[in-house]
Amino acid sequence: MMNSLKFSGLTAVAASFICCNMLAGTVDGNKVHLKGQLVDMGTTDVPMRFDGAASMLGESRNIMLKTDAKGNFDTVIELDKPAYFNISRNTVYLSPGDDLTVKITQNNGEAEFAGKGAEANIYMKGRLFPHGGSFLESGDNIRADFAATRITIDSLARIRRAQLEALTNVSKDFKDMENARINADIVNSYLSYPSYSRLTSGVKDREQAMQKVDSFYNTLTEEVKSRIKELVDDRYLDVNVARSVLSQVNAPYLASMKAWTEGVTFTPRIQALFNSSEYVNKLRQEVTDESLAEMKSFADNLQYKDFAVELNGMIVKASRLLKGQPAIDFELTDTAGVVRHLSDFKGKVLYVDFWATWCGPCIQESPHFESLSKEYAGKDIVFLPVSTDTNNKAWKRFITAHKKQLSQYNSVDKTMHSGWSIYYIPRFVLIDKDFNIVSAYAPRPSNPEAKEMIDSLLK
């Protein structure tokens, strides 16, 4: 639950002072008072995304922070136990009874925290990104060879542990969780090393590359197995990178990775999470009546209520994306700032491209999308590129620099993200002339199947 209070005509400092005095002493045992400013978020409705174990499966625990035009907000949320949340690229750790004043931008290193709960969150500013290879930091910490890189990883991990140990106003549980994060970040660094280094340079094909990676992973077996054993604890499922590492070794694609878990037994909850995740991932690729029924049967027999709640929520959302269902409408804005709606294009076939300027695979598909649109010039079809960028200026700069031929649109409408289940991009959607869904997970334009589907709709 959430009560929000919007500010108007107040500076962030003045508003914070008023709220601190107005709500002082009102934060009881199962509530968190969170206030301050969210800067350059691109919207006045900013999602604070739950980052615990069940976040792998759904979004029911996400919280919408409502701000004024300057990003100021004040809210009290109910929380029965400590939890991690993400605000843009910032991970925050909230505990019942916290009373925090914050200033948060899209750069996690710029965040400011004051009040009860601040020490843990100041520490969290240094949280590493799993997709960046954790301690490798997107390749910045790759050295001449793995031995040298490993020294760097170990050194950075020691620094991080020392910072953690120096904290005085945090719980033992927080320190346990963050120690697990450091262990998982180390393993993730090893897993990511082949992608950022020159380990596979000069190999002839993918098979040889995999053999080389397999040999490299074999050299790490004893250390990685030891670290994985330490991560096999239900509590650590609430740590993003720990979930990521355990998920990868749970479905190993190399013989060496299988060796990492020999003699390691996952708890029933850990295994239930990954089994549940398999059903969710299937729904994020294609939605059919059969897949929904299968997932419903699994959820009905799941002993972990928090997982079952998310699965049932996903079933409801996914059912709205079945073939033949009405297309979900949302707002989009053109480069001139004119607000349109997806439904404005009803009467023609729609091929929608959800993309962003920072998404490499999206950029790779863009020429195929534009080329395909030229093949259907004059036909009853609209090719609709919809950027999901929250930074409108960056989007416009990109459009100008790349001289796009198609009319371009941007959307930060939360209905787009939640209604169409945009969990990854690029994502393509096909809608018929009656504004009904043909495919919520249509083929990419580089796939010949896209042209076949379009042709069948234009007959």
Side-chain angles (χ1 to χ4, degrees), residues 360-388:
C362 299
I363 307 306
Q364 291 173 357
E365 287 294 328
S366 183
H368 297 286
F369 193 72
E370 295 222 349
S371 176
L372 199 57
S373 73
K374 292 175 183 176
E375 289 188 41
Y376 290 94
K379 302 286 182 66
D380 277 347
I381 180 170
V382 176
F383 285 74
L384 209 62
V386 179
S387 158
T388 62

Side-chain angles (χ1 to χ4, degrees), residues 77-214:
I77 63 174
E78 292 187 1
L79 198 64
D80 59 358
K81 64 179 182 178
Y84 293 102
F85 292 87
N86 291 324
I87 302 175
S88 185
R89 289 174 63 81
N90 303 264
T91 296
V92 296
Y93 182 79
L94 303 179
S95 297
D98 280 355
D99 192 349
L100 276 167
T101 301
V102 308
K103 183 176 181 181
I104 291 176
T105 73
Q106 294 195 42
N107 181 341
N108 62 306
E110 297 174 348
E112 299 173 15
F113 299 94
K116 186 178 180 183
E119 188 176 33
N121 285 289
I122 291 170
Y123 172 83
M124 291 305 298
K125 289 168 60 176
R127 191 267 300 176
L128 298 169
F129 294 94
H131 291 304
S134 291
F135 286 111
L136 299 183
E137 299 207 59
S138 298
D140 289 348
N141 290 328
I142 291 289
R143 301 297 181 252
D145 56 23
F146 180 68
T149 302
R150 191 176 202 167
I151 290 172
T152 299
I153 293 170
D154 290 345
S155 175
L156 293 171
R158 282 195 299 272
I159 292 170
R160 194 66 175 147
R161 287 195 201 279
Q163 293 171 339
L164 179 62
E165 191 56 37
L167 302 181
T168 57
N169 292 312
V170 300
S171 66
K172 179 182 181 301
D173 192 56
F174 176 77
K175 287 192 174 183
D176 287 348
M177 302 279 275
E178 290 305 310
N179 262 312
R181 189 187 301 274
I182 294 168
N183 268 337
D185 278 330
I186 291 172
V187 177
N188 190 52
S189 301
Y190 295 166
L191 280 165
S192 304
Y193 179 78
S195 298
Y196 289 105
S197 69
R198 296 181 57 82
L199 182 70
T200 59
S201 61
V203 298
K204 295 180 179 179
D205 53 38
R206 187 178 185 280
E207 184 178 351
Q208 285 189 357
M210 289 296 97
Q211 289 174 353
K212 202 162 187 178
V213 172
D214 198 30

